[in-house]
């Protein structure tokens, strides 16, 4: 076994975990931003904002880690994928920056608070929608000739990718409602439950449409899921997903369940993530290059792995510590700023 073969599984695991943690952690605070636009008054908006204030910026650490891991460990995939999704990635980054500016200026610039409130809401929903377009474009695959992307930067905007964009907006809104149920009380918590039920309905509708559309559009994915014995071996994935959806719906309707909606939604995201991984494995440039074919040299992977393995525990430690310090319910008399 060569060094590349031995390091690729490690880098695959690092990249997969980094992307999932980004989707999970930044997903719920983007979801809170989406629901922020539906808050009834200034007091409600302050509490919603304070529920993510201590942790929101640290969540984006995983986005940086994922990008760097893709560029360093799988450079061939990076040079093909990034030009193909240039516009949605640029839109996402600009929306994230504007969202961050709105977050800070809302507290400092009271005269224009309404403007910054809208900025935070629209920044959250646009960044989420752009991420969904990137996901849809990735599942559909890219036009490649040799080792280069030969399509245009507008190819990623398709009906399928627009659907995945809408699906991710509903998904993050569901995560955000679960987080608000954890952090808020009484009337605001009930409002978060109501938003969660609408978001779950949207998630189920979009997930069903994507699940039907994807195997119809890609013969390789249809073969992966519906050939024998795969159909029997993979049956637990949709069964568990439906069971989790029922548990989330049930916990959203039980006023005593504070953790159920969020934990159940995390489970839904995990099952969706596994479903995409199973559909595309072992491709990192779908239908063209495998993880091993796109990997960097053994020396490069080994060198980068040393620094990454030193850095990862530090990131996990300060992330866990910040969530532990700011645990518990948000109170109106204890603001972050």
């Amino acid at each position: 076994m060569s060094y590349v073969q031995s390091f690729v599984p490690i880098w695959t695991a690092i990249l997969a975990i980094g992307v999932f943690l980004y989707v999970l952690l930044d997903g719920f605070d983007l979801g809170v931003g989406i629901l922020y636009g539906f808050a009834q008054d200034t007091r409600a908006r302050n509490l919603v904002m304070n529920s993510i204030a201590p942790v929101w910026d640290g969540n984006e650490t995983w986005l940086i880690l994922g990008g760097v891991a893709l560029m360093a460990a799988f450079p061939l995939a990076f040079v093909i994928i990034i030009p193909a999704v240039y516009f949605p990635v640029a839109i996402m980054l600009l929306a994230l920056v504007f969202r961050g500016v709105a977050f800070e200026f809302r507290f400092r610039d009271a005269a224009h608070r309404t403007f910054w409130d809208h900025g935070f809401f629209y920044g959250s929903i646009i960044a989420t929608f752009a991420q969904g377009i990137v996901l849809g474009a990735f599942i559909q695959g890219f036009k490649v000739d040799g080792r280069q992307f030969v399509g245009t930067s507008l190819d990623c905007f398709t009906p399928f990718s627009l659907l995945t964009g809408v699906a991710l907006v509903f998904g993050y809104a569901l995560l955000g409602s679960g987080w608000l149920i954890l952090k808020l009380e009484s009337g605001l918590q009930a409002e978060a439950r109501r938003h969660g039920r609408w978001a779950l309905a949207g998630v189920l509708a979009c997930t069903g449409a994507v699940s039907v559309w994807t195997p119809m559009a890609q013969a390789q994915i249809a073969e992966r899921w519906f050939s024998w014995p795969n159909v029997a071996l993979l049956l637990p994935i949709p069964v568990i997903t439906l069971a989790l959806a029922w548990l989330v719906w049930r916990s959203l309707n039980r006023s005593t369940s504070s953790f159920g909606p969020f934990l159940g939604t995390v489970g839904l995201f995990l099952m969706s993530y596994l479903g995409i991984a199973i559909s595309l494995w072992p491709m990192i440039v779908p239908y063209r290059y495998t993880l091993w074919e796109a990997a960097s040299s053994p020396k490069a992977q080994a060198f980068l792995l040393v620094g990454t393995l030193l850095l990862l525990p530090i990131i996990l430690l300060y992330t866990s510590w910040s969530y532990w310090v700011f645990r518990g319910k948000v109170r109106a008399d204890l603001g972050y700023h």
Side-chain angles (χ1 to χ4, degrees):
M1 179 179 291
S2 70
Y3 283 116
V4 172
Q5 288 175 314
S6 61
F7 289 138
V8 165
I10 297 173
W11 275 108
T12 301
I14 292 172
L15 185 61
I17 292 170
V19 170
F20 183 71
L21 285 176
Y22 171 74
V23 169
L24 183 63
L25 298 179
D26 211 29
F28 83 71
D29 79 53
L30 283 167
V32 168
I34 293 168
L35 298 179
Y36 181 82
F38 299 93
Q40 298 294 324
D41 51 37
T42 301
R43 177 181 174 276
R45 284 190 284 274
N46 287 341
L47 284 170
V48 168
M49 188 75 84
N50 282 334
S51 74
I52 58 170
V55 296
W56 74 275
D57 47 356
N59 293 338
E60 291 170 2
T61 303
W62 299 102
L63 176 64
I64 299 169
L65 178 69
V68 172
L70 181 66
M71 180 180 65
F74 304 102
L76 178 57
F78 185 86
V79 299
I80 291 173
I81 294 172
I82 294 302
V85 293
Y86 177 82
F87 281 123
V89 167
I91 292 169
M92 177 194 72
L93 293 176
L94 289 172
L96 288 175
V97 169
F98 186 69
R99 177 177 180 266
V101 171
F103 188 98
E104 297 295 337
F105 274 60
R106 179 184 180 275
F107 290 97
R108 309 293 181 189
D109 183 16
H112 303 95
R113 181 165 293 172
T114 302
F115 172 78
W116 298 119
D117 283 344
H118 284 99
F120 186 68
F121 167 67
Y122 286 111
S124 300
I125 200 167
I126 290 171
T128 302
F129 187 67
Q131 288 181 19
I133 289 176
V134 172
L135 174 63
F138 182 76
I139 294 173
Q140 285 190 306
F142 309 104
K143 293 178 182 176
V144 178
D145 184 12
R147 298 169 67 86
Q148 294 182 333
F149 171 67
V150 294
T152 73
S153 295
L154 298 178
D155 289 349
C156 58
F157 297 99
T158 66
F160 180 80
S161 67
L162 296 178
L163 173 62
T164 54
V166 173
L168 201 61
V169 170
F170 279 119
Y172 281 2
L174 183 59
L175 269 176
S177 70
W179 180 257
L180 291 177
I181 291 168
L182 272 175
K183 303 298 287 186
L184 302 179
E185 297 175 293
S186 61
L188 291 177
Q189 189 190 72
E191 189 72 4
R193 291 181 187 278
R194 188 174 71 81
H195 290 144
R197 288 190 288 271
W198 281 106
L200 178 60
V203 166
L204 293 177
C206 292
T207 303
V210 170
S211 299
V212 172
W213 194 334
T214 306
M216 290 178 64
Q218 298 293 343
Q220 295 178 45
I221 293 179
E223 174 71 15
R224 177 67 54 86
W225 283 89
F226 299 116
S227 62
W228 185 261
N230 291 1
V231 66
L233 295 173
L234 299 177
L235 185 60
I237 301 292
V239 171
I240 293 172
T241 302
L242 289 174
L244 284 168
W246 179 78
L247 287 172
V248 172
W249 178 263
R250 189 164 176 262
S251 59
L252 284 169
N253 286 285
R254 293 178 61 189
S255 60
T256 56
S257 177
S258 293
F259 289 92
F262 186 74
L263 294 178
T265 305
V266 171
L268 283 176
F269 268 80
L270 178 60
M271 299 312 295
S272 299
Y273 198 62
L274 283 175
I276 295 171
I278 290 169
S279 296
L280 300 179
W281 177 263
M283 299 292 171
I284 192 168
V285 179
Y287 325 115
R288 192 58 186 257
Y289 288 110
T290 67
L291 290 155
W292 284 266
E293 291 169 337
S296 56
S297 69
K299 289 184 178 178
Q301 290 207 19
F303 176 77
L304 291 164
L305 192 59
V306 173
T308 303
L309 292 180
L310 288 173
L311 190 62
L312 267 179
I314 297 173
I315 298 174
L316 289 170
L317 181 63
Y318 80 68
T319 300
S320 304
W321 182 251
S322 63
Y323 279 90
W324 174 255
V325 168
F326 294 102
R327 69 189 182 280
K329 299 289 185 182
V330 176
R331 289 167 46 189
D333 59 328
L334 290 178
Y336 174 71
H337 286 78

